[in-house]
Amino acid sequence: MRDIAVFSGSAHPSLAAEICRDLGVELSPTRVTRFANDCLEVQLQANCRERDVFLIQPLVPPVQENLVELLLMLDAARGASAARTTVVLPHYAYARSDKKDAPRISIGARLVADLMVSAGASRVLALTLHSPQVHGFFSVPVDHLHALRELAGYFSRYDLSNTVVVSPDLGNAKEAAHFARIVDVPVAAGAKQRFADDEVRISTVIGEVSGRDVIVLDDEIAKGSTMMELLDKLRERGARSIRVACTHGLFTSGALDRLQAQEDVLEIVSTNSVPIPDEKRVPKLKVLSVAPALAEAMRRINIGESVSTLFEAPST
């Protein structure tokens, strides 16, 4: 590989360490300090001059703290004469703010993308953005990965002959359909309306789920309001068994405990794109690693190979 330097912010250092093990490089140290006036200072404690620099930082709670830390890391890399600086963004929290659906509100996904570029980002490596249009909010190249291969590789160990993949809403139906094609099963989707951050209503499920083993696939689970509403509809429609899968397992406000308590939910599958503390984990939870995929994408970016070929076949 060309001369490379990988740094991690405070958001998910264990994922960064795993990525570096897969890459076969050392994780360079980062020092974050806080002044008496509550301002942050970041120092990248390895040489960046004319090197290919990667900064790993998912935007997870506390989102604003981690965002400012990332911006300071970008500015430090630029000031240290990095040849190129790539933001590795396993989770982009502001991606949900992708449209103006009410008067006088900001489009946070575009604003934060502009901030990253202004701070010095040369390119972005993202994982499962909330909607496709967010890719276009960045004015630098974006490599947009998904975790469907990892999820498909996991579920392929089951007998899927009577299985259907269900998207909680039509917005995620394209990703669910892609996943369903990989594992060669049919797809269905919920007809969802959102009234508030934690208030949703699913009027029906479009597609055949009666007597089927269901894999519910979503991009992220936060409070779990959508998932609980969908579970009720799947029960009404006579689903035989239910497994829940997502890329970003935020699991806020006791969502994991509520899902764990559902007797007909056999399994909850997520990736480690965001940190899931040990105290949150429940027996039904299975966490898959996206470190190998991110490491391979970083290697390909570094040497100038295609990243799109990572989507060609599921992991085994």
Side-chain angles (χ1 to χ4, degrees):
M1 292 192 298
R2 298 172 186 170
D3 197 14
I4 185 173
V6 182
F7 299 89
S8 173
S10 303
H12 202 350
S14 62
L15 175 61
E18 190 177 346
I19 289 171
C20 285
R21 285 196 297 271
D22 286 325
L23 267 178
V25 302
E26 291 290 328
L27 178 61
S28 298
T30 306
R31 182 178 63 87
V32 181
T33 54
R34 189 182 298 272
F35 292 112
N37 65 356
D38 204 39
C39 291
L40 295 177
E41 180 184 70
V42 172
Q43 181 186 37
L44 304 179
Q45 296 186 302
N47 179 35
C48 297
R49 187 175 296 273
E50 297 305 318
R51 300 182 78 184
D52 200 4
V53 172
F54 292 84
L55 306 177
I56 302 172
Q57 181 84 323
L59 296 186
V60 295
V63 174
Q64 280 59 243
E65 290 261 330
N66 288 324
L67 172 59
V68 171
E69 188 177 291
L70 174 59
L71 296 175
L72 293 172
M73 291 169 70
L74 283 164
D75 186 65
R78 179 173 56 186
S81 301
R84 178 176 63 180
T85 306
T86 300
V87 174
V88 181
L89 202 60
H91 178 56
Y92 184 27
Y94 276 97
R96 294 184 67 172
S97 177
D98 60 354
K99 56 188 175 294
K100 190 172 182 180
D101 53 5
R104 297 172 297 283
I105 63 170
S106 62
I107 302 176
R110 185 191 62 201
L111 173 61
V112 174
D114 288 344
L115 288 172
M116 290 186 211
V117 175
S118 296
S122 306
R123 68 185 304 125
V124 173
L125 173 60
L127 178 69
T128 311
L129 294 170
H130 182 65
S131 56
Q133 62 263 31
V134 174
H135 186 142
F137 291 169
F138 290 89
S139 57
V140 294
V142 177
D143 292 297
H144 185 195
L145 303 183
H146 57 61
L148 299 184
R149 295 169 67 251
E150 287 69 27
L151 292 167
Y154 178 79
F155 283 107
S156 293
R157 67 187 190 142
Y158 294 116
D159 177 7
L160 301 179
S161 58
N162 190 42
T163 299
V164 59
V165 172
V166 177
S167 170
D169 53 48
L170 298 177
N172 194 58
K174 186 175 181 180
E175 286 294 289
H178 187 180
F179 176 76
R181 285 195 300 272
I182 295 174
V183 295
D184 193 25
V185 301
V187 65
K192 184 179 84 172
Q193 288 180 288
R194 180 174 291 279
F195 301 96
D197 183 47
D198 58 352
E199 183 184 354
V200 300
R201 186 173 304 148
I202 296 175
S203 57
T204 189
V205 176
I206 304 165
E208 185 55 54
V209 299
S210 178
R212 298 290 192 97
D213 300 312
V214 170
I215 300 173
V216 179
L217 180 71
D218 207 355
D219 61 330
E220 71 174 61
I221 299 176
K223 290 184 176 181
S225 305
T226 295
M227 203 58 64
M228 299 303 291
E229 175 79 1
L230 180 60
L231 291 178
D232 287 340
K233 293 300 176 186
L234 291 173
R235 292 175 186 124
E236 290 175 9
R237 298 287 296 273
R240 187 170 77 173
S241 70
I242 303 170
R243 287 180 165 86
V244 172
C246 68
T247 300
H248 307 303
L250 298 170
F251 301 127
T252 63
S253 304
L256 260 181
D257 291 330
R258 286 195 297 277
L259 289 171
Q260 168 73 22
Q262 309 304 306
E263 292 185 3
D264 50 0
V265 173
L266 303 182
E267 202 168 24
I268 307 157
V269 182
S270 179
T271 80
N272 64 342
S273 64
V274 303
I276 305 175
D278 289 341
E279 60 269 20
K280 269 191 176 184
R281 300 195 179 202
V282 296
K284 291 182 182 179
L285 177 66
K286 173 67 176 180
V287 180
L288 310 178
S289 179
V290 290
L294 290 170
E296 178 61 15
M298 290 165 64
R299 186 191 69 82
R300 292 179 182 219
I301 290 169
N302 175 253
I303 64 177
E305 284 188 357
S306 171
V307 174
S308 62
T309 54
L310 290 174
F311 302 128
E312 288 178 357
S315 300
T316 57

